[in-house]
Amino acid sequence: MQRNPATLRATLSELERGKLWRSRRVPARGTANFCSNDYLGLSKHVDVVDAFRQAVDQFGVGSGASHLVTGHSLAHEALEEVLAGILGRERALVYSTGYMANMGVIGTLADQNAAIVADKLNHASLIDGCRLTKAELSRYRHGDAGHAAELLAGIDAAVSTRLLITDGVFSMDGDLAPLPELARAARDAQAWLVVDDAHGLGVVGAKGHGTVEHFGLDADDVPVLVGTFGKAFGTFGAFVAGDADLIEYLVQKSRTYIYTTALPSAVAAATCAALLVSEREPWRREKVMQHARRVHTALKLPGEAQSPIIPIVLGDEARALAASRALEERSLLVTAIRPPTVPAGTARLRVTLSAAHRDAEVSALIDALQEVLAA
Ligand SMILES: *Cc1c(COP(=O)(O)O)cnc(C)c1O
């Protein structure tokens, strides 16, 4: 179909009619936000803000260039070192965003002769990373490690590189990937296991070191770990962690690392401070999970809360939108998540909790949800 202004208008009208219209909201003052990913409440933490301010004085606002030109500063170096130390990896590499980290690591590892096996519900940036490659892509049923193993076993013997890719905590469902089984399947098939733990780091695991820690696994089991700073750490940016050769390979080859302006140093410094707060204040993890379990139990949802992400699947787009609006009228912000972000017929409210929420706010949310969902 040829694109012209009239076809754009027609597509927009279709989205509107199908209740698939997306709009950006500027949260009104006084609304309690239950859809942010600031799980530990670190985005306004005094140490994080102070580190940011001091680094702006020292380094300026913009980094001025890409890492391989002159954009790489002591703040990036320090962040990478602290991160690698905390996660027990040889090295970590800071990317400007998680989207770019995923496109970078997948695009670099999946060369001409590669095959990728990926969870059906992986984050869009992982899917786009796969699409950017010439690798053959097959997708296994969500969370089904047996199916993943089957697909890996079916890859042509002539393929030189195999990747098994999954979210650690699934962003729209809040459930955990079966990492021990996936690690075994990857090992058996000599595949790289790539885990994007954007929603697990900081929150899951006794020390907040994510799903790898939660399952008692290590760097041998999960050789490629992706994480982001815009979620539990309350800042912005992302990283890939792994052994020294993997990271050096990315520095040399990863296009989304090389051909973009470095993350501002002040953001790196603030992130470093956030990591230290996360290490030092485990109560934040306990608090956010306590809130999550409370909401989960009060709403009688199936299973148990495994992360601060609580999906309330309503199915119908209009119903999800109406519920979100009704909550907004009660000064509670909970976004309706609709296709294509989630599969058709699974439109939902996605409630996320934060250690910064007060118990009374969570009580108000529970009361309002019970009222709105009964209507
Ligand atoms: C948010 C998210 C990303 C993208 O990270 P950004 O830094 O926001 O680009 C990647 N993967 C997952 C699973 C995410 O939730």
Side-chain angles (χ1 to χ4, degrees), residues 68-245:
L68 295 184
V69 179
T70 62
H72 193 67
S73 76
L74 281 174
H76 300 111
E77 286 280 314
L79 172 57
E80 290 179 348
E81 242 166 70
V82 166
L83 197 53
I86 285 175
L87 296 174
R89 302 275 166 167
E90 286 179 11
R91 278 183 76 185
L93 186 68
V94 170
Y95 277 77
S96 293
T97 71
Y99 213 117
M100 292 164 76
N102 281 332
M103 294 208 291
V105 74
I106 297 169
T108 307
L109 287 178
D111 52 17
Q112 294 294 323
N113 189 16
I116 302 174
V117 172
D119 189 289
K120 194 99 188 158
L121 294 189
N122 275 352
H123 189 265
S125 59
L126 289 172
I127 298 171
D128 290 358
C130 296
R131 284 183 180 154
L132 266 186
T133 70
K134 297 190 177 81
E136 188 186 315
L137 171 64
S138 47
R139 298 172 77 184
Y140 58 91
R141 287 184 295 277
H142 174 55
D144 187 340
H147 191 201
E150 237 172 76
L151 294 176
L152 284 169
I155 295 173
D156 193 303
V159 166
S160 56
T161 308
R162 296 163 170 76
L163 267 65
L164 176 58
I165 306 181
T166 183
D167 281 26
V169 174
F170 286 85
S171 51
M172 296 301 138
D173 293 81
D175 58 332
L176 273 49
L179 284 195
E181 292 78 11
L182 290 173
R184 200 171 317 128
R187 194 181 300 250
D188 289 349
Q190 297 193 314
W192 292 96
L193 176 56
V194 179
V195 174
D196 174 354
D197 213 13
H199 295 276
L201 287 162
V203 179
V204 174
K207 294 182 181 156
H209 299 170
T211 47
V212 175
E213 181 199 6
H214 171 86
F215 287 111
L217 302 177
D218 61 22
D220 283 339
D221 301 304
V222 181
V224 188
L225 176 67
V226 178
T228 66
F229 305 133
K231 311 270 158 72
F233 301 118
T235 63
F236 184 84
F239 71 91
V240 177
D243 71 22
D245 280 349

Side-chain angles (χ1 to χ4, degrees), residues 290-301:
Q290 185 190 323
H291 286 330
R293 281 190 292 269
R294 220 184 124 203
V295 173
H296 196 275
T297 305
L299 297 179
K300 301 189 169 65
L301 297 170

Side-chain angles (χ1 to χ4, degrees), residues 4 13 19 53 55 59 62 85 89 191 196 205 210 222 227 243 253 264 267 291 295 303 329 335 348 368:
N4 61 46
S13 304
K19 299 283 177 198
R53 291 212 172 104
F59 297 102
R89 302 275 166 167
D196 174 354
V222 181
D243 71 22
K253 297 262 190 190
V267 176
H291 286 330
V295 173
E329 280 164 20
T335 34
R348 67 196 64 184

